[in-house]
Amino acid sequence: MDYIYFKIQQEIITHITSALKILKYPVQIKLERPPDQGLGDFSFPCFSFSKISRKSPNETAKIIAEKLSTNHFIKNICVDGGYINFSIDETPLIQETVHSILTNKQSYGHLDKKNIFIIVEHTSANPNGPLHIGRARNPIIGDTLTRLLKAAGYSCESQFYLDDLGKQVAILCWGINNLPKEEKASIANKKLDHIAVGFYQKANDLMNEDPQVKQDIQDIIWKSEHGDIQTISLIQEAYQPVLKGMNESLKRVNITIDTYIPESTFVKDSSVEKVLDILKNTPFCHEEHGAYYLDLESFGIKGRNTKFFITRGDGTSLYATRDIAYHAWKATQADILLNVLGEDHKLESKQVEIGLQLLGIEKIPKTVFYSFVSLPEGKMSTRRNRVVYLDDLIDECVQRAYEEVKKRRADEFSELEMKTIAEKIGTGAVRYNIIKVQPEKDMVFQWEDALNFEGNAAPFIQYAHARASSILSKNETSIKGIEKQIYSKLMHPSEIQLIKKMALFPFVIQEASITYKPHLIASYLFDIASLFNQFYRDCPVLSEPDKELKIARLCLVASAKQVLNNGLCILGIDALEEM
RNA sequence: GGGCGUGUGGCCUAGUCUGGAUAUGGCACUGGCCUUCUAAGCCAGUGAUCGCGGGUUCGAAUCCCGCCACGUCCGCCA
């Protein structure tokens, strides 16, 4: 893709490079953006060169600036406070940007195809109950990353690593098969995952009270981990409905997962065994009461205990060992492995990494860790019933959105229309509130914040999109086959600001995808929506008497709508024509 | 005890990797703007020892050292 801003930036870098070469200064270029638009569009700090020139930073900047020339992109160069500030000629920028948006449409902002395949592993929640909002951060970050990476030109697959072995599903399995079924009336309107969690909770309690139950559950674990086909399929029957329920919740917030990889796969195909064979033969492996562990002290692992157990005393594998086998397999499937994990998995992730190294695998997964969402009264806990389920959050947000729509537009929309719009606003709000904060920040969930649809929230962006759509739907002037020269009519500061910001979209996608920071997209979109609202205030479109300016503005509205749409698409939030 | 992460106005948050111009926005609060394209909006205002203490630097929210608080982990759990 040929984006004008890339070209302009490259142009400036080339100019500075040749100036620095003439002066025999080291070529170290960091282009910044001035804090104030009045200063220019790009700035080049010259402080580091003042040591060489033995002059003040500002004098140095002047010396460098003298060797620079303007061209058709660069309108003006001025030195101020040790910076060389570049003002770009807005005409080509405006023309090219609007033109590029209207011709590239849904792919505006997207980067060139890279022929690199990424597996994004996310969610991977134990299928023993509904997703709660602590876990919900995972699919939202994961899905947004997947969408973002696709926009950045990668091909991607999302994977859910399905925990079908071990204690959690075994408890569920026992509960489903041994506890009395619930009465039809009490489960009438319940989702499958919400029904199942009751069995899990009861079975969990019984396990702690009744040694026989505990033994039964342990049998299930033992059999499944030894690859007993019958037990594994019994477990599968138990968790499938839960998974179905979880997927319904995810689907509601526009998340679908491409592939499910059951953990048992790697036991059944004996790849775990092969992994163990190799790991046992490394010098780091030791044995203790029949169990094998790797001593990770020499790998920089510190703490009370540096032993990483890879088998139990009975020879069966452990979760992390199977995870190594899974990652070893993934490494053969993709160019880049990206995992989204809770911060509690940091050590385990490091152990997997070391395991892969010992297997001679160089494709080490990259990981985005997120902190937990807690409640004002403390950590979320299903057992203590101190938990907010994702479904409840979605329901509340949709309900709130419905009330707002009804308040404003009851006389214009049908009941069905209001419900449809409310669903999109409510679910969008859920995603946006989670993705706008960088993953490593702790979050305390507050209903008040979650249900606030003003300011930096999804409805603000959807609203700007709806306003743009509204203008276009009322317009009767054709904007097909417009010559881009007409866009130079767009001279109002609000128009220029908006266009300049839209020109940055590819940069933002680039930056966000390289650093795996989806929240950058959220704050960028917020800026676009905000600038659009300012434009909306300052520049009437439909009533504009100058025909050419009107057309240019219509094109600008269409571009803004497109950029908002493309950005919302990366965030997995529905754009709205009306709200 | 150790590892990792976080700490920015009353609350939330950007910027931290790659040091740079008066620290970004939002919520709340105060005042103003709907006979004109949707007021879920716009404009203005109040409000910050950037956790604390040192250091490096012409320059530190950003880098280094020490400390404090919170989260998280250090299971033959997952």
Side-chain angles (χ1 to χ4, degrees), chain A residues 14 18 72 82 118 146 162 262 289-290 311 448 498 530 569:
Chain A
T14 312
S18 55
H72 70 293
I118 305 182
T146 308
L162 187 57
H289 312 300
T311 74
E448 198 191 329
L498 175 58
S530 185
C569 185

Side-chain angles (χ1 to χ4, degrees), chain A residues 137-154:
Chain A
R137 212 171 177 179
N138 195 320
I140 292 170
I141 292 169
D143 184 66
T144 309
L145 277 170
T146 308
R147 291 163 178 268
L148 171 64
L149 291 167
K150 282 178 183 167
Y154 299 93

Side-chain angles (χ1 to χ4, degrees), chain A residues 402-472:
Chain A
Y402 174 75
E403 284 159 17
E404 294 293 322
V405 178
K406 193 165 187 176
K407 199 165 77 191
R408 289 158 226 259
R409 314 292 300 271
D411 47 342
E412 295 164 68
F413 291 148
S414 71
E415 194 65 17
L416 178 67
E417 282 169 330
M418 288 196 286
K419 293 262 189 228
T420 311
I421 291 167
E423 178 74 17
K424 292 181 176 184
I425 293 172
T427 53
V430 170
R431 281 192 76 136
Y432 190 87
N433 274 334
I434 288 176
I435 209 67
K436 74 174 176 184
V437 180
Q438 46 176 297
E440 54 271 26
K441 282 253 193 190
D442 297 340
M443 282 180 105
V444 178
F445 177 83
Q446 313 257 26
W447 278 107
E448 198 191 329
D449 297 337
L451 294 175
N452 187 355
F453 291 170
E454 271 159 26
N456 192 3
F460 179 89
I461 298 165
Q462 290 170 314
Y463 184 65
H465 185 274
R467 278 178 145 185
S469 305
S470 175
I471 292 174
L472 295 171

Side-chain angles (χ1 to χ4, degrees), chain A residues 326-367:
Chain A
Y326 169 46
H327 279 87
W329 170 76
K330 271 203 286 189
T332 66
Q333 305 293 305
D335 303 301
I336 296 174
L337 310 180
L338 181 61
N339 296 340
V340 180
L341 297 170
E343 60 177 341
D344 56 333
H345 273 65
K346 277 185 184 173
L347 177 61
E348 193 262 348
S349 178
K350 188 80 191 158
Q351 289 166 339
V352 169
E353 200 176 294
I354 294 168
L356 290 171
Q357 274 172 31
L358 292 175
L359 294 174
I361 293 165
E362 284 167 14
K363 223 172 274 166
I364 301 303
K366 300 175 193 301
T367 312

Side-chain angles (χ1 to χ4, degrees), chain A residues 145 148 507-518 520-521:
Chain A
L145 277 170
L148 171 64
F507 274 83
V508 177
I509 290 181
Q510 180 170 265
E511 172 75 9
S513 64
I514 290 171
T515 55
Y516 304 122
K517 287 180 176 175
L520 296 179
I521 304 291

Side-chain angles (χ1 to χ4, degrees), chain A residues 17-156:
Chain A
T17 306
S18 55
L20 293 176
K21 277 183 180 161
I22 294 168
L23 292 163
K24 300 203 162 65
Y25 288 172
V27 180
Q28 294 163 343
I29 300 171
K30 191 197 169 192
L31 267 194
E32 298 177 1
R33 260 170 258 291
D36 179 2
Q37 277 278 324
L39 290 167
D41 300 287
F42 292 94
S43 64
F44 177 58
C46 299
F47 303 92
S48 61
F49 302 103
S50 68
K51 263 191 188 150
I52 308 163
S53 68
R54 299 176 154 276
K55 295 203 167 113
S56 75
N58 211 41
E59 287 297 315
T60 312
K62 280 181 189 163
I63 293 168
I64 299 169
E66 275 167 21
K67 306 289 178 206
L68 293 166
S69 52
T70 55
N71 68 6
H72 70 293
F73 283 141
I74 306 160
K75 193 172 64 184
N76 189 33
I77 295 171
C78 81
V79 171
D80 185 18
Y83 290 88
I84 303 174
N85 293 319
F86 298 84
S87 299
I88 61 177
D89 185 357
E90 281 145 4
T91 308
L93 177 76
I94 288 167
Q95 292 183 352
E96 292 304 321
T97 302
V98 176
H99 182 254
S100 173
I101 296 167
L102 296 180
T103 49
N104 287 309
K105 297 197 171 73
Q106 308 90 300
S107 58
Y108 172 73
H110 292 200
L111 309 178
D112 292 329
K113 290 270 171 278
K114 291 180 173 60
N115 201 26
I116 295 174
F117 181 53
I118 305 182
I119 292 176
V120 182
E121 181 200 334
H122 68 81
T123 310
S124 301
N126 276 322
N128 58 355
L131 289 164
H132 61 61
I133 54 170
R135 288 179 192 149
R137 212 171 177 179
N138 195 320
I140 292 170
I141 292 169
D143 184 66
T144 309
L145 277 170
T146 308
R147 291 163 178 268
L148 171 64
L149 291 167
K150 282 178 183 167
Y154 299 93
S155 45
C156 290

Side-chain angles (χ1 to χ4, degrees), chain A residues 133-134 372-381 384-389 393 442-450:
Chain A
I133 54 170
F372 291 119
V373 180
S374 58
L375 295 173
E377 50 279 29
K379 203 178 158 183
M380 245 177 263
S381 160
R384 276 187 276 179
N385 206 24
R386 197 166 71 189
V387 63
V388 177
Y389 291 120
L393 173 61
D442 297 340
M443 282 180 105
V444 178
F445 177 83
Q446 313 257 26
W447 278 107
E448 198 191 329
D449 297 337

